[in-house]
Amino acid sequence: MKTDKAALVLACIAVVIGIGSTNGPVKEMIAGLKPQADAAVMSYALNQAEDDLRAQITRRAEALNAQPVNAVVDRVWKAIPGYNGLEVDVEATYRSALLRGPQEGLKLMYRQIKPKVSLDDLGAQPIYRGNPAKPMVSLMINVAWGNEYIRPMLDILDAEKVKVTFFLDGSWLSRNKELAAEMLKRGHEVENHAYTHPKMSNLSRPRAAAEIEKTQKLLKESLGVTNKWFAPPSGDFNQQTVEIAASLGLKTVLWTLDTVDWRNPSPESIVAKISSRVEPGTLILMHPTASSSQALRGMIRGIKAKGLLLGTVSQTLSPERIVTAEVE
């Protein structure tokens, strides 16, 4: 019985195919139905591709999304800046991808989420490092002497495409405004290193305030710089120093790693020390000395080899998140 029904169905199909192969209403009906079938198949394929695209974006978003990190006062490192979170906008990315087309590649649209607690919320606290989740470090170059090495160091920084922060002694700045202006012209940050390189913890409150404020005004008047950071000479300070700087709108910055270049170590030893110990958020202290000048290129390349970016103190201590190339 089942065999008879199967044979009948096959016969009917053969008849329809046979009729459809000749001119007539059946062929016209089939011809009319075929585009609709193609359209249905194409519509299904398109919907499936769009679903796959959305799923791909969602997977990447889940892998990249990160919660913001609040600034904190650490028992050892004192004030540590916060770090912005990241949230991929799936819908905006999906719409953008449809407009771009597959040939443009997938670019993820995102928003950064600010932490609830920032450096400004921590009060008058010294800063020794950036957030350990941010893969960026800074070279802090304190300048009170060593003019002969500054331009060679600037040339190396240009060649390596690295920007640093120079902390300028005010008395040095008063005598070397042209050289300080060249630092700015080459894209570097210039900040406050007091005026006469004193031991800040030994000073009275009025004298300490005068040391910082005099250089702050000189930076503004001679270079047009609005001062943000203060680096105590020789790393010597007390809580009074930090509070005075804060009253002038400045945050007190020290360092995570010291080249100790004033002792004239070999350039190779400086490169080895920095390359082996540098990590995300590290602030590296140096001066325009012969040792650091000769070690500078090797330091930069050693830092980059660890997958770290180099930026100014402002960039490293900023909560701004470092994002990958696939995110825009």
Side-chain angles (χ1 to χ4, degrees):
M1 185 69 177
K2 289 182 179 178
T3 304
D4 293 343
K5 286 184 178 179
L8 180 62
V9 170
L10 289 173
C12 290
I13 291 172
V15 170
V16 170
I17 292 173
I19 296 172
S21 64
T22 62
N23 291 327
V26 174
K27 183 175 182 180
E28 291 175 1
M29 180 187 71
I30 293 173
L33 289 174
K34 187 177 179 182
Q36 294 179 21
D38 287 347
V41 171
M42 290 177 63
S43 177
Y44 174 79
L46 183 59
N47 289 338
Q48 186 63 47
E50 291 176 354
D51 288 345
D52 290 346
L53 175 62
R54 189 186 294 275
Q56 180 188 6
I57 294 168
T58 300
R59 285 194 301 272
R60 292 208 190 172
E62 290 172 350
L64 290 171
N65 286 348
Q67 293 297 312
V69 180
N70 285 333
V72 297
V73 178
D74 184 77
R75 184 174 61 84
V76 175
W77 294 108
K78 305 306 178 184
I80 297 179
Y83 194 37
N84 287 353
L86 183 74
E87 183 176 77
V88 174
D89 189 326
V90 173
E91 285 305 314
T93 300
Y94 175 71
R95 292 192 298 269
S96 174
L98 292 179
L99 291 172
R100 285 172 178 267
Q103 70 279 1
E104 296 293 331
L106 183 61
K107 286 288 187 179
L108 303 177
M109 313 293 287
Y110 73 99
R111 64 178 70 90
Q112 293 205 25
I113 307 168
K114 293 182 179 180
K116 293 180 180 179
V117 182
S118 71
L119 274 180
D120 292 335
D121 299 318
L122 302 183
Q125 298 282 345
I127 304 166
Y128 288 84
R129 59 163 303 129
N131 192 292
K134 184 170 184 173
M136 179 177 279
V137 305
S138 288
L139 301 179
M140 300 172 55
I141 305 179
N142 290 353
V143 181
W145 70 88
N147 287 18
E148 66 268 37
Y149 301 109
I150 291 177
R151 282 196 172 87
M153 292 175 80
L154 287 172
D155 290 341
I156 292 170
L157 292 169
D158 282 351
E160 297 294 328
K161 296 180 172 57
V162 168
K163 305 305 178 189
V164 304
T165 300
F166 289 94
F167 286 90
L168 307 182
D169 173 272
S171 61
W172 179 90
L173 174 56
S174 67
R175 300 188 304 271
N176 296 277
K177 294 178 183 177
E178 183 178 332
L179 189 49
E182 186 170 344
M183 295 171 181
L184 276 180
K185 183 179 179 181
R186 297 206 195 191
H188 303 291
E189 186 173 50
V190 295
E191 293 293 336
N192 194 323
H193 195 45
Y195 197 83
T196 62
H197 210 271
K199 286 198 170 186
M200 298 296 296
S201 65
N202 292 342
L203 304 182
S204 66
R205 180 174 285 272
R207 171 72 193 284
E211 282 282 341
I212 300 172
E213 192 170 14
K214 191 172 182 180
T215 298
Q216 185 179 38
K217 288 182 177 178
L218 187 59
L219 285 166
K220 186 67 173 180
E221 292 169 359
S222 62
L223 300 175
V225 168
T226 300
N227 188 195
K228 294 178 287 186
W229 310 102
F230 170 65
S234 305
D236 181 84
F237 72 100
N238 55 18
Q239 184 58 29
Q240 173 183 273
T241 308
V242 180
E243 291 172 359
I244 290 170
S247 72
L248 295 170
L250 309 181
K251 289 182 172 58
T252 300
V253 183
L254 290 108
W255 61 85
T256 323
L257 275 180
D258 188 355
T259 60
V260 199
D261 52 10
W262 53 274
R263 291 182 179 170
N264 298 316
S266 70
E268 293 78 14
S269 68
I270 293 178
V271 172
K273 175 182 179 179
I274 300 304
S275 299
S276 64
R277 296 174 61 184
V278 70
E279 59 185 15
T282 297
L283 304 178
I284 301 166
L285 177 64
M286 55 195 299
H287 304 82
T289 65
S291 293
S292 278
S293 178
Q294 294 171 42
L296 183 57
R297 195 184 304 274
M299 288 170 58
I300 291 170
R301 293 182 178 180
I303 291 166
K304 289 180 176 178
K306 296 185 83 167
L308 299 171
L309 301 174
L310 289 108
T312 64
V313 166
S314 288
Q315 289 170 329
T316 298
L317 299 184
S318 160
E320 189 72 16
R321 192 173 191 87
I322 303 298
V323 296
T324 62
E326 67 177 330
V327 181
E328 66 176 17

